[in-house]
Amino acid sequence: MQCREASELVSLRLDVALPPTAEQSLQEHLGECQGCHWEADALARLDLLLSEAPRVSPAPQFAGRVMARIHRRRRWMAVWRGGVVLVLGMIIMAALCLVPLAHPASPVADVLNSPSLVSTLVGVLVRIANLAATLMGAARLVGEAFVGSSGHLFLAGLMALAAGLALIWLRLVGRASMAVGKTS
Ligand SMILES: [Zn+2]
């Protein structure tokens, strides 16, 4: 028997998977070969040591807790991304709607005096519409992250966004009609 084969048989013996016929020839080799004898002895002692060591098993809900933490982190990442888009969008939208109105030389007032500036207003409105679509995507991302597959929060966010847009729109129209009243 070669030493390599003996080493494999020693491993099998430790796993209690060694056939009796192989046990015989392994014993013969171990009797003749000092190196294999020493190796078999060391492995047997190590096996005994490991079998006596207390077994540590994870807490029953360990895997569940780890997975829950991973899901929570993913959800918060989605919320964070959606929130950043939402806030940026709100800032841009506020700038588009309120800053021109706050200025005395506002484009809205100018449009009413000079029809050639209608295109400016149309461009602003198109930009607002694009932005609203982006914001709705972001709001949906936030909503989905919060409530998973059900869309209650998404719906609530959408309604809040619609209310905000309506307020902005009312303010825009109010200023415009006031400007019309002044000029006529
Ligand atoms: Zn040997």
Side-chain angles (χ1 to χ4, degrees):
M1 184 186 285
Q2 300 285 317
C3 288
R4 197 167 59 179
E5 193 190 342
S7 179
E8 283 168 12
L9 292 182
V10 166
S11 294
L12 281 176
R13 190 171 69 176
L14 289 173
D15 294 337
V16 202
L18 187 66
T21 48
E23 172 74 39
Q24 179 79 34
S25 47
L26 176 64
Q27 285 296 346
E28 280 170 20
H29 181 83
L30 292 180
E32 295 161 1
C33 179
Q34 192 64 37
C36 285
H37 183 83
W38 183 86
E39 188 187 317
D41 198 40
L43 280 174
R45 269 184 287 154
L46 185 68
D47 193 58
L48 186 71
L49 197 71
L50 288 175
S51 68
E52 282 173 350
R55 283 174 188 257
V56 179
S57 53
Q61 298 92 8
F62 180 73
R65 280 208 301 267
V66 170
M67 289 314 291
R69 186 172 285 189
I70 289 170
H71 285 140
R72 220 179 310 150
R73 171 172 276 206
R74 277 202 199 133
R75 210 178 298 165
W76 275 114
M77 284 301 286
V79 169
W80 192 81
R81 262 178 287 157
V84 166
V85 175
L86 205 60
V87 167
L88 280 178
M90 287 294 190
I91 290 169
I92 294 170
M93 188 178 268
L96 281 175
C97 297
L98 303 177
V99 171
L101 293 175
H103 274 274
S106 118
V108 176
D110 284 347
V111 162
L112 299 165
N113 295 331
S114 149
S116 66
L117 284 174
V118 164
S119 62
T120 308
L121 186 61
V122 169
V124 167
L125 290 178
V126 166
R127 265 189 289 172
I128 289 173
N130 284 338
L131 204 62
T134 309
L135 287 181
M136 280 179 192
R140 196 188 55 177
L141 204 64
V142 173
E144 278 177 357
F146 264 119
V147 295
S149 55
S150 90
H152 295 115
L153 201 92
F154 166 54
L155 212 64
L158 216 62
M159 283 167 76
L161 194 69
L165 282 173
L167 277 176
I168 291 167
W169 181 248
L170 281 175
R171 181 161 182 180
L172 202 73
V173 171
R175 293 276 185 124
S177 54
M178 265 166 60
V180 170
K182 272 180 204 163
T183 48
S184 61

